[in-house]
Amino acid sequence: MIVLKYTLYGYNNIGVKLRMIYDCAVIGAGPAGLSAAINLAQTNRSVVVFATKEEDSSIYRAPEVNNYLGFHGVSGKELLQAFYDHAKKMGIEIVHKKVINFYKSGDIFTINANNEFYEAYSVILAIGTPKKTLLENEAEFVGRGISYCAVCDGMLYKGRTIAVIGEAIEAEEEAEYLSELAKKVYYVPLYKKNEFHFKDNVEVILSHPKGVYGEDFVNALELEDRILNVDGIFIIRKTMPADQLIYGLEFAEDGHIKVDSKMQTSIEGLFAAGDCTGRPYQVAKAVGEGQIAGLSASTYVKMVKEKQK
């Protein structure tokens, strides 16, 4: 097992306690993210991987994978488990928290994962292919009634009427939290489930959401069969859209993250790999790009540390 050394850190300028500064934070624990982490560890870099539940990964649900060399006929679940086992045997830290956003200040990235803050010299995005937006007009109302984090913005809607759109069952926890603050919560699940157990002020609506409307702020959510009058909408996704994770990221015309041959994005020190950079959406491409991103991030971190001496 590789022993990784960390640099300890204290408090930032707003009094938020921070952890050690990692050499790299990898957002996503599919084939690209785990490949990047393994290659970083091989170069003796400290790395933390932010992961959602394994079953949320698209590869997990593949009944059979036949195009990854050496693993003919393996299920996606078995292949992903093999990747996880490899990473864990190398001592790689995997944190099951959703990254809400992150930003760069100087040479350091600060990552907000469920309102716990981590710091790293570099970041690798391996977030698959989440849609940039779910609703019509969604981007227009971000910060004006559209939110992606209940804990972050819930207090703004105390005593009001809100809608919560959940992509996965984990969103129910955020709906429960918001029900303690809001007067009324409409819960719109995008997954199949027979029974829901909420407080009396939560109404489950099994109808697909289409668009959001308002003037200065959100005032309505359009569903397939009705319109809900609301003061705000919380969209709880499995993975945050790339354009909401960090400001200034450039995209190609097809909507994928723009990268160069080293998997470097438009932001220095930020790399991307896997499905989020473009087609083909295959394991071999993701693993290969993860390797390149990991090695590129390692080289970048070496440069930053030498500059700081």
Side-chain angles (χ1 to χ4, degrees):
M1 180 180 294
I2 297 174
V3 178
L4 304 176
K5 296 181 179 179
Y6 302 110
T7 303
L8 296 179
Y9 201 70
Y11 292 80
N12 70 2
N13 57 8
I14 59 172
V16 176
K17 189 176 181 180
L18 301 170
R19 300 168 183 261
M20 73 254 328
I21 302 178
Y22 293 90
D23 289 325
C24 187
V26 179
I27 303 174
L34 293 175
S35 173
I38 287 167
N39 280 277
L40 280 155
Q42 287 279 19
T43 59
N44 205 32
R45 300 297 180 195
S46 58
V47 57
V48 58
V49 178
F50 294 99
T52 57
K53 289 189 175 183
E54 293 178 33
E55 53 266 36
D56 287 338
S57 171
S58 58
I59 186 176
Y60 182 94
R61 298 187 293 273
E64 190 171 275
V65 178
N66 287 316
N67 60 358
Y68 190 60
L69 187 64
F71 286 87
H72 180 267
V74 68
S75 71
K77 180 179 179 180
E78 291 170 325
L79 187 58
L80 186 61
Q81 187 60 57
F83 293 163
Y84 263 86
D85 290 344
H86 188 167
K88 289 175 181 177
K89 286 176 181 177
M90 294 187 68
I92 291 169
E93 182 180 356
I94 299 176
V95 176
H96 289 276
K97 294 182 183 297
K98 184 172 74 173
V99 173
I100 298 168
N101 52 44
F102 64 98
Y103 65 90
K104 186 179 183 184
S105 178
D107 292 327
I108 304 296
F109 289 92
T110 299
I111 300 102
N112 178 358
N114 286 3
N115 279 347
E116 290 189 20
F117 294 85
Y118 299 73
E119 290 194 331
Y121 289 110
S122 63
V123 173
I124 296 174
L125 289 175
I127 57 175
T129 55
K131 295 178 181 178
K132 283 191 176 184
T133 57
L134 176 69
L135 306 173
E136 185 178 350
N137 301 324
E138 177 182 332
E140 180 183 342
F141 286 98
V142 172
R144 297 193 294 126
I146 291 285
S147 176
Y148 300 98
C149 176
V151 176
C152 306
D153 300 327
M155 287 300 296
L156 299 173
Y157 297 90
K158 191 171 183 178
R160 298 189 177 188
T161 298
I162 60 173
V164 178
I165 300 171
E167 278 196 338
I169 195 169
E170 290 77 24
E172 293 179 23
E173 295 180 12
E174 302 207 38
E176 288 175 355
Y177 167 76
L178 289 166
S179 72
E180 300 287 340
L181 301 170
K183 178 178 68 176
K184 173 77 174 181
V185 176
Y186 295 106
Y187 186 66
V188 185
L190 302 184
Y191 53 93
K192 293 182 179 180
K193 187 179 177 182
N194 293 327
E195 294 184 4
F196 296 87
H197 302 283
F198 289 115
K199 294 175 60 178
D200 291 341
N201 66 332
V202 179
E203 180 181 348
V204 178
I205 298 181
L206 303 179
S207 180
H208 192 78
K210 297 180 64 178
V212 54
Y213 300 96
E215 294 181 1
D216 292 333
F217 287 84
V218 165
N219 61 33
L221 171 64
E222 181 187 7
L223 304 174
E224 283 182 323
D225 58 355
R226 73 189 81 175
I227 292 178
L228 302 177
N229 294 319
V230 295
D231 300 306
I233 301 169
F234 287 80
I235 303 174
I236 311 302
R237 311 186 72 157
K238 298 175 186 176
T239 304
M240 291 292 291
D243 60 338
Q244 296 299 321
L245 282 171
I246 187 168
Y247 177 77
L249 193 61
E250 291 185 7
F251 295 87
E253 290 184 3
D254 61 4
H256 294 99
I257 298 172
K258 185 184 288 188
V259 293
D260 63 15
S261 60
K262 296 181 180 179
M263 312 314 296
Q264 168 81 51
T265 70
S266 55
I267 299 171
E268 188 178 26
L270 175 60
F271 303 83
D275 290 356
C276 62
T277 68
R279 298 177 183 275
Y281 301 146
Q282 294 189 0
V283 178
K285 170 187 175 288
V287 170
E289 288 190 351
Q291 179 191 39
I292 296 170
L295 295 177
S296 296
S298 180
T299 300
Y300 170 80
V301 170
K302 180 181 178 181
M303 178 192 72
V304 170
K305 289 185 173 181
E306 287 178 348
K307 183 180 68 174
Q308 292 178 344
K309 289 180 181 179

